[in-house]
Amino acid sequence: MGDFLGSIYCWFEDFFGLELAEYMWGSSSPISPNNSFIGIGLTMLGISLAMVLIYYYVVDHPRLNFWWGWMIFLGINAVINFIVGWQWVLKDYYDNKMVTIDPSTNLQVPLNIGESEILCFGVSNMILSIIAFIIFSFIFKWWSKNTSAPF
């Protein structure tokens, strides 16, 4: 599952940077050797699925059966997933986990990752959550009584 999610996130590798992608794969830092795409990706999918289910089955109101009602929930999903992706990686940055070991001195050296790359990762997470929301909408809208919009 981690390879699948990592390959999807790496569609945006040029946007958020190769060093951050390598760190997220767990290949460049001895402090964080795990694939971070698993946790972030599953969280993004869970939030997107929850927002779709809330829109189609909890709220399920005829007044939201228009494109703008669907867009409100899409926007909320996008903002939440932007914040989650951004803060998840920013926490590692502030905890000084984004380091590598210099082979010549055997000391920890920070990776060349800045807050702008982390912000771009949050945007990438947001874009992927929009795609997930659209896919989940196609799957779950058919059984909704009132809000089968916008498709």
Side-chain angles (χ1 to χ4, degrees), residues 17-36:
L18 184 61
E19 277 203 66
L20 181 56
E22 289 176 1
Y23 170 77
M24 299 293 288
W25 278 111
S27 61
S28 64
S29 177
I31 294 176
S32 181
N34 300 326
N35 185 341
S36 299

Side-chain angles (χ1 to χ4, degrees), residues 12 17 19 25 36 45 68 98 144 148:
F12 300 97
E19 277 203 66
W25 278 111
S36 299
L45 290 172
W68 53 265
M98 296 183 179
S144 175
S148 59

Side-chain angles (χ1 to χ4, degrees), residues 8 19 37 39 43-44 46 56 66 70 76 81 92 98 101-102 111-112 123 127 137-138 143 145 150:
I8 290 174
E19 277 203 66
F37 291 121
T43 302
M44 179 269 300
Y56 285 112
F66 298 101
W70 184 81
I76 293 169
N81 278 295
D92 284 357
M98 296 183 179
I101 302 296
D102 184 8
L111 294 170
N112 189 22
V123 171
I127 293 168
S137 289
F138 277 116
W143 300 282
K145 291 182 180 20

Side-chain angles (χ1 to χ4, degrees), residues 56 65 67 70 133-138 141-142 148-151:
Y56 285 112
N65 193 19
W67 65 270
W70 184 81
F133 188 90
I134 292 168
I135 291 170
F136 288 142
S137 289
F138 277 116
K141 74 176 187 160
W142 304 109
S148 59
F151 314 107

Side-chain angles (χ1 to χ4, degrees), residues 29-84:
S29 177
I31 294 176
S32 181
N34 300 326
N35 185 341
S36 299
F37 291 121
I38 296 170
I40 294 172
L42 290 177
T43 302
M44 179 269 300
L45 290 172
I47 292 169
S48 297
L49 178 62
M51 291 302 296
V52 165
L53 293 176
I54 289 170
Y55 174 69
Y56 285 112
Y57 300 111
V58 177
V59 174
D60 197 24
H61 197 277
R63 286 199 311 183
L64 290 175
N65 193 19
F66 298 101
W67 65 270
W68 53 265
W70 184 81
M71 290 294 287
I72 289 170
F73 279 82
L74 176 73
I76 293 169
N77 174 61
V79 169
I80 290 171
N81 278 295
F82 165 75
I83 292 169
V84 167

